[in-house]
Amino acid sequence: MGTAAMTETSPRFKARITGVLYLLTILTGIFAQGFVSGRLVVDGGDAAATATNILTHRGFFQLGFTVYLIEMACQIAITALFYDLLKPAGRSVSLVAAFLGLAGCVIKTFSRLFYIAPLLVLGGAHYLSVFSAEQLQALALLFLKVNDHGAAIALAFFGFYALLTGYLIVRSTFLPRILGVLSVFGGLGWLTFLYPPLGYRLFPYLAAFGLLGAGSLIVWLLVFGVNEQRWKEQASAAEEWRS
């Protein structure tokens, strides 16, 4: 039992769990956004066609909502784990980064209420009979747009989070600095969503670079974890400095 407890609290073990959850976050986000929303929401603002798709594939649309929630649960977990892993490189900065990351998670999770709202609007409830079919379809599409813009606001917070996390990785002695550099540049890219029109315009390039940085970090965490000896040395040095 003692050995199991040591394994559970091992920085390398935590790093690998973080890598697994990070990979799950990426995969669920791609599935929900690319394979669910991307297929059901018709480009060009066609509210009638989008409403027909949602009602025809109601179960698939609801699955997208469930997957979105799994994505955010994983994101919250890795935010907490990264805080713990990167504390030796800078406790205060790691705490600020965690709060910014959690703020992004809260915003993005709240925005998902607007994603599921079209099912209520298009559900044919009696109290909605005062609206025409066209009005309900337009309202459903509006909710989906609000969901997208909420997620874009969250990306700006994730940009600050990635920037600070990258800074901590560069300062650390237990992770390769190149991973921190990639995170910093990825964070700068997501900060373009402070002005959403610019962020949306650059999104294909930002997403590609972001996946490169995230993929590199995930592979390293899964395969190598962290240099446990250096992590403990830096953690001990940080404790001595505070005392």
Side-chain angles (χ1 to χ4, degrees), residues 11-36:
R12 183 171 295 164
F13 179 80
K14 290 180 182 178
R16 285 177 171 153
I17 291 297
T18 304
V20 170
L21 292 174
Y22 202 169
L23 178 61
L24 190 56
T25 301
I26 298 294
L27 293 178
T28 51
I30 290 175
F31 176 81
Q33 186 65 40
F35 291 94
V36 179

PDB file of all heavy atoms in Angstrom, residues 11-36:
ATOM      1  N   PRO A  11       5.431  12.874  -9.086  1.00  0.00           N
ATOM      2  CA  PRO A  11       5.279  13.910 -10.119  1.00  0.00           C
ATOM      3  C   PRO A  11       5.205  13.324 -11.525  1.00  0.00           C
ATOM      4  O   PRO A  11       4.457  13.821 -12.369  1.00  0.00           O
ATOM      5  CB  PRO A  11       6.525  14.779  -9.933  1.00  0.00           C
ATOM      6  CG  PRO A  11       6.940  14.552  -8.528  1.00  0.00           C
ATOM      7  CD  PRO A  11       6.588  13.128  -8.220  1.00  0.00           C
ATOM      8  N   ARG A  12       5.977  12.265 -11.775  1.00  0.00           N
ATOM      9  CA  ARG A  12       5.957  11.641 -13.104  1.00  0.00           C
ATOM     10  C   ARG A  12       4.591  11.008 -13.387  1.00  0.00           C
ATOM     11  O   ARG A  12       4.057  11.105 -14.489  1.00  0.00           O
ATOM     12  CB  ARG A  12       7.053  10.591 -13.209  1.00  0.00           C
ATOM     13  CG  ARG A  12       7.162   9.935 -14.571  1.00  0.00           C
ATOM     14  CD  ARG A  12       8.400   9.077 -14.645  1.00  0.00           C
ATOM     15  NE  ARG A  12       9.606   9.902 -14.542  1.00  0.00           N
ATOM     16  CZ  ARG A  12      10.807   9.417 -14.280  1.00  0.00           C
ATOM     17  NH1 ARG A  12      10.971   8.122 -14.068  1.00  0.00           N
ATOM     18  NH2 ARG A  12      11.853  10.220 -14.216  1.00  0.00           N
ATOM     19  N   PHE A  13       4.024  10.378 -12.361  1.00  0.00           N
ATOM     20  CA  PHE A  13       2.700   9.779 -12.507  1.00  0.00           C
ATOM     21  C   PHE A  13       1.655  10.859 -12.779  1.00  0.00           C
ATOM     22  O   PHE A  13       0.800  10.717 -13.653  1.00  0.00           O
ATOM     23  CB  PHE A  13       2.342   9.001 -11.239  1.00  0.00           C
ATOM     24  CG  PHE A  13       0.978   8.357 -11.269  1.00  0.00           C
ATOM     25  CD1 PHE A  13       0.779   7.162 -11.945  1.00  0.00           C
ATOM     26  CD2 PHE A  13      -0.089   8.964 -10.638  1.00  0.00           C
ATOM     27  CE1 PHE A  13      -0.475   6.572 -11.975  1.00  0.00           C
ATOM     28  CE2 PHE A  13      -1.344   8.385 -10.664  1.00  0.00           C
ATOM     29  CZ  PHE A  13      -1.542   7.185 -11.332  1.00  0.00           C
ATOM     30  N   LYS A  14       1.720  11.961 -12.023  1.00  0.00           N
ATOM     31  CA  LYS A  14       0.790  13.075 -12.230  1.00  0.00           C
ATOM     32  C   LYS A  14       0.935  13.658 -13.627  1.00  0.00           C
ATOM     33  O   LYS A  14      -0.056  14.016 -14.270  1.00  0.00           O
ATOM     34  CB  LYS A  14       1.028  14.170 -11.185  1.00  0.00           C
ATOM     35  CG  LYS A  14       0.610  13.798  -9.782  1.00  0.00           C
ATOM     36  CD  LYS A  14       0.886  14.954  -8.828  1.00  0.00           C
ATOM     37  CE  LYS A  14       0.510  14.596  -7.402  1.00  0.00           C
ATOM     38  NZ  LYS A  14       0.807  15.685  -6.454  1.00  0.00           N
ATOM     39  N   ALA A  15       2.178  13.746 -14.095  1.00  0.00           N
ATOM     40  CA  ALA A  15       2.411  14.290 -15.431  1.00  0.00           C
ATOM     41  C   ALA A  15       1.771  13.401 -16.486  1.00  0.00           C
ATOM     42  O   ALA A  15       1.182  13.900 -17.459  1.00  0.00           O
ATOM     43  CB  ALA A  15       3.913  14.419 -15.680  1.00  0.00           C
ATOM     44  N   ARG A  16       1.870  12.101 -16.317  1.00  0.00           N
ATOM     45  CA  ARG A  16       1.289  11.196 -17.305  1.00  0.00           C
ATOM     46  C   ARG A  16      -0.234  11.229 -17.254  1.00  0.00           C
ATOM     47  O   ARG A  16      -0.890  11.152 -18.299  1.00  0.00           O
ATOM     48  CB  ARG A  16       1.835   9.786 -17.090  1.00  0.00           C
ATOM     49  CG  ARG A  16       3.272   9.678 -17.586  1.00  0.00           C
ATOM     50  CD  ARG A  16       3.897   8.347 -17.338  1.00  0.00           C
ATOM     51  NE  ARG A  16       5.197   8.269 -18.036  1.00  0.00           N
ATOM     52  CZ  ARG A  16       6.208   7.522 -17.655  1.00  0.00           C
ATOM     53  NH1 ARG A  16       6.093   6.770 -16.575  1.00  0.00           N
ATOM     54  NH2 ARG A  16       7.333   7.515 -18.340  1.00  0.00           N
ATOM     55  N   ILE A  17      -0.801  11.338 -16.069  1.00  0.00           N
ATOM     56  CA  ILE A  17      -2.252  11.496 -15.965  1.00  0.00           C
ATOM     57  C   ILE A  17      -2.681  12.798 -16.648  1.00  0.00           C
ATOM     58  O   ILE A  17      -3.698  12.848 -17.356  1.00  0.00           O
ATOM     59  CB  ILE A  17      -2.696  11.508 -14.487  1.00  0.00           C
ATOM     60  CG1 ILE A  17      -2.499  10.117 -13.872  1.00  0.00           C
ATOM     61  CG2 ILE A  17      -4.155  11.932 -14.355  1.00  0.00           C
ATOM     62  CD1 ILE A  17      -3.332   9.036 -14.511  1.00  0.00           C
ATOM     63  N   THR A  18      -1.885  13.847 -16.448  1.00  0.00           N
ATOM     64  CA  THR A  18      -2.171  15.127 -17.116  1.00  0.00           C
ATOM     65  C   THR A  18      -2.135  14.959 -18.626  1.00  0.00           C
ATOM     66  O   THR A  18      -2.992  15.494 -19.342  1.00  0.00           O
ATOM     67  CB  THR A  18      -1.138  16.190 -16.691  1.00  0.00           C
ATOM     68  OG1 THR A  18      -1.138  16.318 -15.268  1.00  0.00           O
ATOM     69  CG2 THR A  18      -1.468  17.545 -17.313  1.00  0.00           C
ATOM     70  N   GLY A  19      -1.163  14.210 -19.127  1.00  0.00           N
ATOM     71  CA  GLY A  19      -1.075  13.960 -20.564  1.00  0.00           C
ATOM     72  C   GLY A  19      -2.286  13.215 -21.094  1.00  0.00           C
ATOM     73  O   GLY A  19      -2.806  13.545 -22.164  1.00  0.00           O
ATOM     74  N   VAL A  20      -2.758  12.217 -20.346  1.00  0.00           N
ATOM     75  CA  VAL A  20      -3.949  11.460 -20.763  1.00  0.00           C
ATOM     76  C   VAL A  20      -5.164  12.373 -20.824  1.00  0.00           C
ATOM     77  O   VAL A  20      -5.934  12.366 -21.808  1.00  0.00           O
ATOM     78  CB  VAL A  20      -4.203  10.281 -19.803  1.00  0.00           C
ATOM     79  CG1 VAL A  20      -5.561   9.639 -20.089  1.00  0.00           C
ATOM     80  CG2 VAL A  20      -3.099   9.245 -19.923  1.00  0.00           C
ATOM     81  N   LEU A  21      -5.359  13.176 -19.778  1.00  0.00           N
ATOM     82  CA  LEU A  21      -6.521  14.071 -19.737  1.00  0.00           C
ATOM     83  C   LEU A  21      -6.417  15.166 -20.794  1.00  0.00           C
ATOM     84  O   LEU A  21      -7.430  15.579 -21.374  1.00  0.00           O
ATOM     85  CB  LEU A  21      -6.649  14.688 -18.341  1.00  0.00           C
ATOM     86  CG  LEU A  21      -7.016  13.715 -17.222  1.00  0.00           C
ATOM     87  CD1 LEU A  21      -6.958  14.412 -15.863  1.00  0.00           C
ATOM     88  CD2 LEU A  21      -8.406  13.133 -17.453  1.00  0.00           C
ATOM     89  N   TYR A  22      -5.198  15.627 -21.048  1.00  0.00           N
ATOM     90  CA  TYR A  22      -4.986  16.651 -22.078  1.00  0.00           C
ATOM     91  C   TYR A  22      -5.350  16.091 -23.450  1.00  0.00           C
ATOM     92  O   TYR A  22      -6.024  16.747 -24.260  1.00  0.00           O
ATOM     93  CB  TYR A  22      -3.525  17.089 -22.050  1.00  0.00           C
ATOM     94  CG  TYR A  22      -3.247  18.454 -22.645  1.00  0.00           C
ATOM     95  CD1 TYR A  22      -2.008  19.058 -22.479  1.00  0.00           C
ATOM     96  CD2 TYR A  22      -4.205  19.150 -23.376  1.00  0.00           C
ATOM     97  CE1 TYR A  22      -1.720  20.302 -23.005  1.00  0.00           C
ATOM     98  CE2 TYR A  22      -3.939  20.396 -23.914  1.00  0.00           C
ATOM     99  CZ  TYR A  22      -2.690  20.958 -23.729  1.00  0.00           C
ATOM    100  OH  TYR A  22      -2.424  22.194 -24.256  1.00  0.00           O
ATOM    101  N   LEU A  23      -4.920  14.855 -23.711  1.00  0.00           N
ATOM    102  CA  LEU A  23      -5.268  14.203 -24.977  1.00  0.00           C
ATOM    103  C   LEU A  23      -6.777  14.032 -25.096  1.00  0.00           C
ATOM    104  O   LEU A  23      -7.362  14.281 -26.165  1.00  0.00           O
ATOM    105  CB  LEU A  23      -4.573  12.846 -25.066  1.00  0.00           C
ATOM    106  CG  LEU A  23      -4.876  12.005 -26.314  1.00  0.00           C
ATOM    107  CD1 LEU A  23      -4.441  12.741 -27.581  1.00  0.00           C
ATOM    108  CD2 LEU A  23      -4.187  10.644 -26.221  1.00  0.00           C
ATOM    109  N   LEU A  24      -7.429  13.639 -24.013  1.00  0.00           N
ATOM    110  CA  LEU A  24      -8.878  13.472 -24.023  1.00  0.00           C
ATOM    111  C   LEU A  24      -9.588  14.801 -24.258  1.00  0.00           C
ATOM    112  O   LEU A  24     -10.600  14.863 -24.972  1.00  0.00           O
ATOM    113  CB  LEU A  24      -9.336  12.851 -22.700  1.00  0.00           C
ATOM    114  CG  LEU A  24     -10.790  12.380 -22.614  1.00  0.00           C
ATOM    115  CD1 LEU A  24     -11.109  11.371 -23.719  1.00  0.00           C
ATOM    116  CD2 LEU A  24     -11.071  11.773 -21.241  1.00  0.00           C
ATOM    117  N   THR A  25      -9.046  15.873 -23.692  1.00  0.00           N
ATOM    118  CA  THR A  25      -9.609  17.212 -23.915  1.00  0.00           C
ATOM    119  C   THR A  25      -9.567  17.582 -25.389  1.00  0.00           C
ATOM    120  O   THR A  25     -10.553  18.084 -25.952  1.00  0.00           O
ATOM    121  CB  THR A  25      -8.838  18.260 -23.092  1.00  0.00           C
ATOM    122  OG1 THR A  25      -8.910  17.925 -21.707  1.00  0.00           O
ATOM    123  CG2 THR A  25      -9.418  19.657 -23.307  1.00  0.00           C
ATOM    124  N   ILE A  26      -8.426  17.353 -26.026  1.00  0.00           N
ATOM    125  CA  ILE A  26      -8.278  17.682 -27.438  1.00  0.00           C
ATOM    126  C   ILE A  26      -9.229  16.853 -28.298  1.00  0.00           C
ATOM    127  O   ILE A  26      -9.933  17.375 -29.177  1.00  0.00           O
ATOM    128  CB  ILE A  26      -6.819  17.451 -27.893  1.00  0.00           C
ATOM    129  CG1 ILE A  26      -5.851  18.365 -27.134  1.00  0.00           C
ATOM    130  CG2 ILE A  26      -6.698  17.676 -29.399  1.00  0.00           C
ATOM    131  CD1 ILE A  26      -6.015  19.818 -27.405  1.00  0.00           C
ATOM    132  N   LEU A  27      -9.277  15.545 -28.040  1.00  0.00           N
ATOM    133  CA  LEU A  27     -10.098  14.646 -28.866  1.00  0.00           C
ATOM    134  C   LEU A  27     -11.586  14.944 -28.710  1.00  0.00           C
ATOM    135  O   LEU A  27     -12.325  14.956 -29.702  1.00  0.00           O
ATOM    136  CB  LEU A  27      -9.811  13.193 -28.503  1.00  0.00           C
ATOM    137  CG  LEU A  27      -8.402  12.674 -28.844  1.00  0.00           C
ATOM    138  CD1 LEU A  27      -8.243  11.228 -28.390  1.00  0.00           C
ATOM    139  CD2 LEU A  27      -8.123  12.803 -30.334  1.00  0.00           C
ATOM    140  N   THR A  28     -12.036  15.176 -27.483  1.00  0.00           N
ATOM    141  CA  THR A  28     -13.459  15.474 -27.280  1.00  0.00           C
ATOM    142  C   THR A  28     -13.835  16.813 -27.893  1.00  0.00           C
ATOM    143  O   THR A  28     -14.916  16.957 -28.473  1.00  0.00           O
ATOM    144  CB  THR A  28     -13.806  15.473 -25.777  1.00  0.00           C
ATOM    145  OG1 THR A  28     -12.873  16.315 -25.065  1.00  0.00           O
ATOM    146  CG2 THR A  28     -13.760  14.069 -25.203  1.00  0.00           C
ATOM    147  N   GLY A  29     -12.939  17.791 -27.792  1.00  0.00           N
ATOM    148  CA  GLY A  29     -13.221  19.094 -28.397  1.00  0.00           C
ATOM    149  C   GLY A  29     -13.327  19.004 -29.904  1.00  0.00           C
ATOM    150  O   GLY A  29     -14.231  19.591 -30.511  1.00  0.00           O
ATOM    151  N   ILE A  30     -12.417  18.247 -30.525  1.00  0.00           N
ATOM    152  CA  ILE A  30     -12.463  18.077 -31.981  1.00  0.00           C
ATOM    153  C   ILE A  30     -13.738  17.352 -32.397  1.00  0.00           C
ATOM    154  O   ILE A  30     -14.390  17.727 -33.380  1.00  0.00           O
ATOM    155  CB  ILE A  30     -11.215  17.313 -32.463  1.00  0.00           C
ATOM    156  CG1 ILE A  30      -9.972  18.190 -32.316  1.00  0.00           C
ATOM    157  CG2 ILE A  30     -11.378  16.875 -33.917  1.00  0.00           C
ATOM    158  CD1 ILE A  30      -8.675  17.468 -32.647  1.00  0.00           C
ATOM    159  N   PHE A  31     -14.111  16.323 -31.648  1.00  0.00           N
ATOM    160  CA  PHE A  31     -15.314  15.565 -31.995  1.00  0.00           C
ATOM    161  C   PHE A  31     -16.567  16.430 -31.879  1.00  0.00           C
ATOM    162  O   PHE A  31     -17.391  16.487 -32.811  1.00  0.00           O
ATOM    163  CB  PHE A  31     -15.445  14.346 -31.079  1.00  0.00           C
ATOM    164  CG  PHE A  31     -16.721  13.566 -31.307  1.00  0.00           C
ATOM    165  CD1 PHE A  31     -16.815  12.658 -32.354  1.00  0.00           C
ATOM    166  CD2 PHE A  31     -17.822  13.751 -30.486  1.00  0.00           C
ATOM    167  CE1 PHE A  31     -17.992  11.955 -32.576  1.00  0.00           C
ATOM    168  CE2 PHE A  31     -19.004  13.046 -30.694  1.00  0.00           C
ATOM    169  CZ  PHE A  31     -19.090  12.155 -31.747  1.00  0.00           C
ATOM    170  N   ALA A  32     -16.721  17.119 -30.736  1.00  0.00           N
ATOM    171  CA  ALA A  32     -17.935  17.899 -30.518  1.00  0.00           C
ATOM    172  C   ALA A  32     -18.047  19.067 -31.489  1.00  0.00           C
ATOM    173  O   ALA A  32     -19.126  19.344 -32.023  1.00  0.00           O
ATOM    174  CB  ALA A  32     -17.983  18.408 -29.075  1.00  0.00           C
ATOM    175  N   GLN A  33     -16.915  19.733 -31.736  1.00  0.00           N
ATOM    176  CA  GLN A  33     -16.963  20.899 -32.605  1.00  0.00           C
ATOM    177  C   GLN A  33     -16.940  20.516 -34.083  1.00  0.00           C
ATOM    178  O   GLN A  33     -17.719  21.046 -34.880  1.00  0.00           O
ATOM    179  CB  GLN A  33     -15.772  21.815 -32.297  1.00  0.00           C
ATOM    180  CG  GLN A  33     -15.786  23.145 -33.042  1.00  0.00           C
ATOM    181  CD  GLN A  33     -16.963  24.016 -32.632  1.00  0.00           C
ATOM    182  OE1 GLN A  33     -17.320  24.079 -31.464  1.00  0.00           O
ATOM    183  NE2 GLN A  33     -17.567  24.695 -33.599  1.00  0.00           N
ATOM    184  N   GLY A  34     -16.053  19.593 -34.442  1.00  0.00           N
ATOM    185  CA  GLY A  34     -15.876  19.276 -35.851  1.00  0.00           C
ATOM    186  C   GLY A  34     -16.872  18.287 -36.407  1.00  0.00           C
ATOM    187  O   GLY A  34     -17.370  18.463 -37.529  1.00  0.00           O
ATOM    188  N   PHE A  35     -17.204  17.252 -35.609  1.00  0.00           N
ATOM    189  CA  PHE A  35     -18.041  16.184 -36.134  1.00  0.00           C
ATOM    190  C   PHE A  35     -19.516  16.316 -35.745  1.00  0.00           C
ATOM    191  O   PHE A  35     -20.363  15.675 -36.354  1.00  0.00           O
ATOM    192  CB  PHE A  35     -17.512  14.824 -35.665  1.00  0.00           C
ATOM    193  CG  PHE A  35     -16.202  14.454 -36.292  1.00  0.00           C
ATOM    194  CD1 PHE A  35     -15.013  14.746 -35.655  1.00  0.00           C
ATOM    195  CD2 PHE A  35     -16.158  13.837 -37.530  1.00  0.00           C
ATOM    196  CE1 PHE A  35     -13.792  14.415 -36.228  1.00  0.00           C
ATOM    197  CE2 PHE A  35     -14.953  13.504 -38.113  1.00  0.00           C
ATOM    198  CZ  PHE A  35     -13.765  13.793 -37.469  1.00  0.00           C
ATOM    199  N   VAL A  36     -19.810  17.124 -34.740  1.00  0.00           N
ATOM    200  CA  VAL A  36     -21.214  17.329 -34.369  1.00  0.00           C
ATOM    201  C   VAL A  36     -21.678  18.704 -34.840  1.00  0.00           C
ATOM    202  O   VAL A  36     -22.484  18.815 -35.765  1.00  0.00           O
ATOM    203  CB  VAL A  36     -21.436  17.159 -32.852  1.00  0.00           C
ATOM    204  CG1 VAL A  36     -22.907  17.396 -32.502  1.00  0.00           C
ATOM    205  CG2 VAL A  36     -21.010  15.764 -32.409  1.00  0.00           C
TER     206      VAL A  36
END
